[in-house]
């Protein structure tokens, strides 16, 4: 038994409660009332992205020594943050499974499965927490991805706010998503001798799945926001 599992369970419950409360906290505009579930889901995802992305960035600023040892060196707060993210991804997986058709959500369900397995290993073994924290830097870009969806649902496509968010979204996508995943792939390759074969296999498969998914999403963003 790992105390991290308690954090995972608490995180799942907290994000589930937030999901149920979103409509009271942020009432959906008329254009979003046809899909209330998606409105709640995106706001819940935005809350996680702010927490995890901001927490990961703060973690590397406060504990720069983690960069030197992504396997064994990490403060308790970093371990807790990864456990919180596992709880969120489980909650989001269940939420999509219950409210969306499989052919509409299989990509995200597959993505969440990979993340839950990889982060779960870090939580249970208390190793590779620094590596998982690098992966959470991706959530900084997710903040603007979720804001984009919210603005789309609120029918604010032709506003300055949407245009500004599109530019920031693309910039953070390159820096915090494409570059971060490329760096993680490079680190995994260079440190393959120091990583157990099973863990290396899981990490390699994870990177092999994430890379094409992110390239496709980048193309969709370019096509949708800049090349209409």
């Amino acid at each position: 038994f790992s105390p991290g599992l308690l954090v995972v369970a608490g995180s799942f419950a907290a994000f589930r409660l937030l999901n149920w409360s979103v409509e009271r906290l942020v009432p959906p505009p008329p254009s979003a009332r046809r899909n209330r579930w998606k409105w709640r889901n995106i706001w819940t995802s935005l809350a996680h992205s702010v927490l995890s992305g901001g927490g990961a960035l703060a973690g590397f600023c406060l504990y720069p020594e983690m960069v030197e040892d992504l396997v064994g060196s990490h403060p308790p707060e970093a371990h807790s943050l990864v456990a919180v993210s596992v709880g969120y991804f489980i909650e989001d997986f269940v939420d999509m499974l219950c409210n969306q058709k499989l052919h509409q959500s299989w990509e995200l369900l597959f993505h969440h499965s990979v993340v839950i397995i990889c982060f779960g290993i870090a939580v249970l073994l208390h190793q590779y927490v620094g590596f998982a924290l690098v992966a959470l830097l991706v959530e900084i870009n997710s903040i603007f991805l979720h804001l984009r969806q919210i603005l789309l649902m609120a029918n604010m496509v032709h506003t300055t706010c949407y245009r500004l968010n599109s530019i920031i979204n693309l910039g953070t996508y390159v820096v915090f998503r494409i570059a971060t995943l490329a760096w993680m792939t490079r680190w995994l390759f260079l440190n393959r001798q120091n990583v157990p074969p099973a863990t290396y296999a899981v990490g390699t498969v994870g990177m092999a799945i994430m890379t094409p998914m992110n390239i496709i999403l980048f193309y969709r963003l370019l096509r949708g926001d800049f090349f209409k």
Side-chain angles (χ1 to χ4, degrees):
F1 176 78
S2 168
L5 294 178
L6 290 177
V7 180
V8 171
S11 171
F12 175 88
F15 280 109
R16 189 92 286 248
L17 181 62
L18 175 62
N19 190 292
W20 288 335
S21 307
V22 160
E23 284 198 55
R24 293 183 181 180
L25 298 171
V26 191
S31 56
R33 287 172 190 166
R34 292 174 300 173
N35 201 346
R36 293 176 181 271
W37 163 79
K38 190 175 181 182
W39 182 258
R40 295 193 304 270
N41 180 270
I42 294 170
W43 276 100
T44 305
S45 299
L46 176 62
H48 167 258
S49 294
V50 172
L51 174 65
S52 59
L57 194 61
F60 283 112
C61 290
L62 295 172
Y63 303 98
E65 61 272 15
M66 274 197 299
V67 178
E68 303 299 324
D69 181 11
L70 296 178
V71 178
S73 175
H74 64 268
E77 295 87 352
H79 181 267
S80 296
L81 184 64
V82 176
V84 165
S85 286
V86 174
Y88 159 75
F89 282 112
I90 295 173
E91 189 278 332
D92 199 45
F93 187 98
V94 172
D95 194 39
M96 286 190 290
L97 208 59
C98 293
N99 293 285
Q100 205 170 24
K101 293 178 181 178
L102 189 60
H103 74 272
Q104 295 175 314
S105 61
W106 71 268
E107 288 182 30
L108 275 175
L109 290 174
F110 189 52
H111 167 273
H112 284 17
S113 300
V114 173
V115 173
I116 290 166
I117 292 169
C118 293
F119 282 17
I121 290 172
V123 170
L124 291 173
L125 299 183
H126 285 261
Q127 289 187 309
Y128 309 101
V129 172
F131 191 73
L133 216 65
V134 173
L136 284 177
L137 291 174
V138 169
E139 293 298 322
I140 294 174
N141 168 248
S142 294
I143 294 171
F144 303 100
L145 276 175
H146 297 319
L147 283 173
R148 177 182 182 272
Q149 287 184 294
I150 289 168
L151 292 170
L152 281 170
M153 290 192 73
N155 203 19
M156 296 176 66
V157 180
H158 303 293
T159 62
T160 304
C161 186
Y162 183 88
R163 199 66 186 160
L164 181 62
N165 184 75
S166 295
I167 295 168
I168 298 172
N169 183 27
L170 209 64
T172 55
Y173 199 102
V174 173
V175 175
F176 289 106
R177 193 172 287 267
I178 293 177
T180 297
L181 288 174
W183 188 90
M184 290 171 67
T185 303
R186 178 179 176 273
W187 183 91
L188 200 61
F189 177 76
L190 292 177
N191 291 272
R192 62 190 181 281
Q193 303 297 334
N194 304 319
V195 178
T199 307
Y200 180 75
V202 171
T204 303
V205 170
M207 292 298 103
I209 292 168
M210 297 298 178
T211 300
M213 286 182 71
N214 280 284
I215 292 171
I216 292 168
L217 181 55
F218 186 70
Y219 167 73
R220 288 175 180 171
L221 288 172
L222 279 174
R223 187 183 63 183
D225 289 350
F226 296 93
F227 299 144
K228 283 185 177 178

